[in-house]
């Protein structure tokens, strides 16, 4: 029968006066502390999930977790015959060494602590850090974890987060957005404005205060430009932003108001000589070619082509048409 | 429509059809409105469940973004150290709440009122509010009890100056809603502390206990203490 003297192993010294038993006790206390810390922090998160914000809960959970582990460490260290005062002196020297050796790590650590307490960003925020646009998923001691809108994992060192420009799109409870809506010169801008205002009034998330702003902003080359500005709660801003524009388009078109296409009137000087009226007859000729009633299929490709050639030669000399014929 | 009901239940009027019944071993809740809205939910419970239909805090639709209700009314002016009770209307949201195993859950919330939100205070630091426009009434106005309730608002001017008042902001977590066959009511107090700061709080309808029934409020399910919960309007009330 195998006879193992376990008492002897436990009592045998490992270094100095520290026995194997004391080392085992040290690790046992540490493991228990980690288990207790995990248990407490998980239950804390479960219990307070609906009561406080995710960001505060995360901070509280981390503080509790690390506090329990530090308490466990303080309880366990005497088992290794280590005096805390001596450890602090040693820690001071160690700190200097670590400070030089791991400058960026320490910098990230300190930045992380400041980020957690200053809270320029919170978990779930839609932020632009430097040139990286992410939704914040976690703020850890050394780094900030996020997710891009394409679902890609992003880890940014806390030092960079702390020292770079941060644009937080949801830090304020409401934000404004705007559209440019173009209508034809023939349409009634007042009617279009009334339709848009009515639509904004009926949309629950277009805020009553600050009020919306709808006005003629410019008399453009293709039509009248109406500027539409409105506010929405930051939580639903994107949903409102992506639905309202099409609803405006449908609503104003239902009332006979149309969004204009880019248009350009071209004058043809070579025809003006034949008609005796500078440019006028030329314009009418081309217009008739494109009138809705004109049967384009009745025109030969040559007619259409010659029209194109004419329009392309509008800045040429009056006899440039002849030149073109000669070239053929 | 309002009240406590055992499953299966069925309610129908000219605007809404509500039904909760067992179908193929599953409990189905169904709502159809005259506007063509349809809503259906399956409920799984091994105990005898009860369903309560009553007005709930009007800050949930069309999507929950706030817990504050703002009522704007024509501007009134109140003398220094004076007080007066006025009646305002507020929007009603109807909650269908299921009870079982000593807990409750809102399975459906709907409303006949148009919804609108607003911002009280600045964009940075202010709050989003569910917004409602009301007239001022000296007596109880007649309202559609499915759409608008009546808020008794006691305005107390604690300042030594005349004050203009045109809005009140109330915290949904402290709401106490009461209903009868004819009317849905809330009672609140607004104390004007300085020319820009006011405190609002809800009051219990102690003198109306015999005619009014208290609603089951959704925000109580979060177990947040609501005793003497006040909201401080720090961005003015005019």
């Amino acid at each position: 029968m195998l006879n193992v003297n376990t008492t002897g192993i436990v009592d045998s010294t490992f270094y100095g006066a520290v026995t194997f038993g004391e080392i085992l006790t040290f690790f046992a206390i540490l493991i228990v502390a980690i288990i207790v810390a995990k248990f407490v922090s998980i239950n804390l998160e479960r219990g307070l999930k609906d009561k406080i914000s995710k960001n505060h809960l995360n901070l509280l959970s981390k503080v509790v977790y690390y506090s329990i582990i530090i308490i466990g460490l303080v309880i366990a260290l005497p088992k290794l015959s280590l005096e805390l005062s001596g450890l602090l002196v040693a820690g001071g020297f160690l700190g200097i060494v670590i400070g030089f050796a791991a400058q960026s790590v320490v910098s990230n650590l300190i930045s992380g602590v400041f980020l957690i307490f200053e809270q320029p960003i919170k978990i779930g925020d839609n932020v632009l850090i430097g040139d990286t646009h992410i939704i914040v998923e976690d703020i850890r001691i050394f780094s900030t974890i996020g997710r891009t809108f394409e679902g890609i994992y992003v880890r940014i060192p806390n030092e960079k987060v702390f020292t770079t420009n941060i644009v937080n799109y949801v830090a304020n409870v409401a934000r404004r957005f705007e559209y440019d809506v173009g209508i034809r010169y023939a349409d009634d801008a007042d009617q279009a404005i009334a339709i848009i205002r009515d639509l904004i009034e009926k949309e629950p998330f277009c805020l009553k205060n600050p009020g919306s702003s709808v006005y003629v902003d410019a008399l453009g080359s293709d039509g009248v430009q109406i500027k539409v500005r409105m506010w929405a709660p930051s939580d639903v801003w994107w949903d409102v932003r992506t639905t309202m524009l099409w609803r405006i388009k449908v609503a104003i078109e239902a009332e006979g108001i149309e969004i204009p296409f880019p248009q350009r009137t071209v004058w043809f000087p070579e025809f003006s000589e034949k008609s005796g009226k500078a440019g006028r007859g030329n314009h009418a000729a081309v217009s008739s070619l494109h009138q809705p009633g004109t049967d384009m299929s009745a025109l030969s490709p040559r007619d259409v082509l010659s029209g194109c050639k004419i329009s392309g030669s509008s800045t040429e000399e009056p006899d440039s048409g002849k030149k073109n014929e000669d070239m053929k | 429509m309002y009240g406590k009901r055992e499953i299966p239940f069925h309610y129908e009027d000219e605007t809404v059809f509500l039904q909760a019944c067992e179908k193929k071993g599953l409990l189905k809740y169904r709502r159809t409105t005259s506007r063509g809205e349809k809503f259906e939910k399956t409920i799984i419970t091994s105990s005898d469940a009860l369903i309560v239909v009553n007005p709930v805090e009007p800050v949930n639709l069309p999507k929950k973004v706030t817990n504050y209700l703002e009522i704007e009314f024509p501007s009134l002016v109140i003398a220094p150290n004076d007080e007066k009770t006025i009646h305002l209307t507020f929007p009603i949201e109807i909650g269908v709440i299921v009870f079982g195993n000593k807990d409750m859950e809102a399975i459906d919330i709907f409303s006949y009122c148009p919804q609108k939100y607003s911002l009280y205070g600045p964009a940075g630091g202010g709050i989003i509010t569910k917004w409602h426009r009301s007239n001022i009434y000296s007596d109880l106005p007649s309202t559609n009890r499915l759409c608008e309730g009546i808020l008794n608002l006691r305005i107390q001017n604690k300042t030594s100056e005349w004050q203009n008042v045109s809005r009140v902001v109330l915290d949904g977590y402290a709401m106490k809603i009461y209903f009868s066959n004819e009317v849905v009511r809330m009672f609140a107090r607004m104390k004007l502390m300085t020319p820009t700061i006011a405190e609002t709080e809800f009051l219990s309808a102690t003198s109306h206990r015999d005619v009014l029934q208290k609603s089951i409020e959704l925000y109580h399910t979060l177990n947040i203490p609501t005793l003497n919960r006040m909201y401080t309007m720090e961005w003015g009330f005019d």
Side-chain angles (χ1 to χ4, degrees):
Chain A
M1 192 176 169
L2 188 66
N3 187 13
V4 180
N5 186 1
T6 51
T7 316
I9 294 170
V10 170
D11 289 340
S12 62
T13 55
F14 185 67
Y15 74 89
V18 180
T19 62
F20 270 112
E22 283 169 330
I23 289 171
L24 284 176
T25 313
F26 170 80
F27 283 111
I29 292 170
L30 219 56
I31 289 164
V32 168
I34 291 168
I35 291 168
V36 169
K38 203 81 186 163
F39 178 80
V40 172
S41 63
I42 286 171
N43 279 289
L44 202 69
E45 282 181 21
R46 278 186 193 156
L48 298 176
K49 198 175 179 182
D50 296 328
K51 311 260 188 328
I52 59 175
S53 75
K54 200 177 173 184
N55 206 53
H56 289 115
L57 184 58
N58 190 271
L59 174 63
L60 183 68
S61 167
K62 277 177 184 164
V63 167
V64 169
Y65 180 81
Y66 288 111
S67 300
I68 292 172
I69 288 177
I70 288 167
I71 290 168
L73 205 62
V74 169
I75 293 168
L77 275 176
K79 301 290 173 195
L80 298 180
S81 300
L82 286 173
E83 282 185 31
L84 281 177
S85 54
L87 204 67
L88 285 173
V89 175
F93 286 114
L94 199 67
I96 294 165
V97 174
I98 289 173
F100 280 109
Q103 226 174 8
S104 64
V105 174
V106 175
S107 173
N108 280 323
L109 176 76
I110 292 167
S111 298
V113 172
F114 280 117
L115 278 176
I116 285 169
F117 286 101
E118 192 197 335
Q119 297 190 338
I121 54 173
K122 292 175 187 155
I123 292 168
D125 282 1
N126 172 2
V127 295
L128 183 69
I129 299 170
D131 54 1
T132 313
H133 198 167
I134 58 165
I135 293 167
V136 180
E137 295 205 319
D138 198 5
I139 302 165
R140 296 179 183 166
I141 296 294
F142 294 106
S143 61
T144 295
I145 307 301
R147 169 175 48 87
T148 66
F149 290 98
E150 291 80 28
I152 295 163
Y153 172 93
V154 177
R155 177 190 175 275
I156 306 172
N158 280 338
E159 187 191 6
K160 190 184 173 192
V161 178
F162 195 66
T163 53
T164 196
N165 291 343
I166 296 174
V167 179
N168 191 329
Y169 292 102
V170 292
N172 290 346
V173 293
R175 68 178 286 190
R176 197 187 74 176
F177 59 94
E178 65 181 39
Y179 303 123
D180 287 313
V181 179
I183 60 168
R184 298 175 303 185
Y185 275 100
D187 294 323
D188 183 355
D190 287 335
Q191 188 193 0
I193 289 171
I195 293 166
I196 295 168
R197 280 192 194 283
D198 185 51
L199 210 61
I200 291 171
E201 186 61 34
K202 284 178 182 161
E203 166 55 46
F205 289 125
C206 287
L207 297 180
K208 190 75 185 173
N209 295 309
S212 59
S213 178
V214 187
Y215 58 93
V216 173
D217 186 48
L219 302 174
S221 55
D222 304 318
V224 177
Q225 292 297 317
I226 296 175
K227 182 76 82 181
V228 184
R229 286 179 170 154
M230 61 193 98
W231 287 78
S234 297
D235 290 347
V236 292
W237 167 84
W238 184 245
D239 298 336
V240 183
R241 167 81 176 73
T242 49
T243 55
M244 280 302 283
L245 185 58
W246 187 253
R247 286 171 60 192
I248 289 171
K249 186 258 184 195
V250 171
I252 62 172
E253 281 193 345
E255 296 296 323
I257 297 170
E258 288 185 18
I259 313 274
F261 294 104
Q263 297 172 28
R264 193 165 298 277
T265 304
V266 183
W267 302 87
F268 303 101
E270 63 270 38
F271 281 103
S272 64
E273 283 187 356
K274 292 174 187 172
S275 65
K277 291 178 182 175
R280 189 74 182 171
N282 175 15
H283 175 243
V286 177
S287 294
S288 68
L289 191 68
H290 298 286
Q291 271 172 6
T294 310
D295 184 5
M296 295 294 284
S297 62
L299 297 167
S300 69
R302 186 183 174 82
D303 293 334
V304 177
L305 194 63
S306 63
C308 293
K309 281 177 181 170
I310 290 164
S311 66
S313 62
S314 59
T315 54
E316 294 174 13
E317 293 299 314
D319 63 344
S320 61
K322 275 184 183 176
K323 284 180 186 171
N324 285 335
E325 286 297 321
D326 294 342
M327 284 172 78
K328 285 179 194 171
Chain B
M1 183 196 294
Y2 301 141
K4 195 179 284 185
R5 290 180 169 84
E6 287 182 2
I7 295 171
F9 96 94
H10 157 259
Y11 172 85
E12 190 173 2
D13 63 23
E14 64 276 10
T15 57
V16 71
F17 170 83
L18 302 176
Q19 187 186 49
C21 61
E22 203 170 312
K23 227 176 199 179
K24 295 176 184 173
L26 291 173
L27 197 56
K28 293 266 184 189
Y29 164 78
R30 192 174 291 128
R31 167 170 60 87
T32 314
T33 66
S34 55
R35 288 176 294 185
E37 293 170 7
K38 283 183 182 174
F39 179 81
E40 198 173 297
K41 202 160 202 172
T42 303
I43 306 163
I44 296 176
T45 174
S46 54
S47 66
D48 291 334
L50 275 176
I51 282 190
V52 173
V53 182
N54 66 205
V56 293
E57 296 86 341
V59 289
N60 303 287
L61 296 174
K63 183 182 172 184
K64 191 182 170 338
V65 293
T66 184
N67 53 281
Y68 294 98
L69 172 67
E70 178 179 358
I71 302 173
E72 198 173 320
F73 45 89
S75 185
L76 61 83
V77 65
I78 184 166
N81 299 308
D82 206 346
E83 61 178 67
K84 174 75 180 168
T85 298
I86 60 168
H87 296 91
L88 305 170
T89 59
F90 66 89
I92 289 178
E93 288 182 13
I94 300 164
V96 180
I97 303 161
V98 63
F99 280 83
N101 286 340
K102 299 174 186 172
D103 200 5
M104 63 181 191
E105 178 68 26
I107 52 171
D108 185 21
I109 300 171
F110 60 99
S111 175
Y112 297 96
C113 259
Q115 318 290 330
K116 195 71 182 168
Y117 284 82
S118 186
L119 173 68
Y120 174 67
I127 53 164
I128 298 293
T129 58
K130 177 80 174 281
W131 184 88
H132 178 77
R133 177 87 191 169
S134 167
N135 280 325
I136 300 172
Y137 304 93
S138 54
D139 298 316
L140 286 182
S142 61
T143 58
N144 174 359
R145 74 176 192 127
L146 296 177
C147 181
E148 284 187 331
I150 299 165
L151 171 72
N152 284 46
L153 182 67
R154 186 152 197 82
I155 302 176
Q156 299 174 322
N157 185 0
K158 299 283 183 189
T159 71
S160 53
E161 298 165 42
W162 286 81
Q163 298 296 342
N164 285 290
V165 187
S166 64
R167 70 188 66 231
V168 58
V169 178
L170 301 154
D171 186 351
Y173 277 106
M175 276 182 189
K176 295 178 173 77
I177 306 170
Y178 299 87
F179 65 92
S180 68
N181 286 331
E182 289 79 33
V183 70
V184 176
R185 294 183 71 176
M186 291 199 292
F187 301 84
R189 176 165 48 208
M190 180 183 189
K191 280 186 200 170
L192 314 181
M193 310 304 286
T194 73
T196 54
I197 295 175
E199 283 178 355
T200 61
E201 65 174 330
F202 283 93
L203 305 171
S204 298
T206 45
S207 57
H208 298 79
R209 270 183 190 158
D210 47 340
V211 288
L212 294 175
Q213 196 179 334
K214 194 167 185 304
S215 276
I216 306 291
E217 288 120 12
L218 299 181
Y219 290 78
H220 286 198
T221 57
L222 300 176
N223 293 323
I224 289 172
T226 60
L227 203 65
N228 291 331
R229 186 170 169 138
M230 284 187 192
Y231 176 67
T232 305
M233 295 174 63
E234 53 185 305
W235 292 288
F237 36 78
D238 185 28

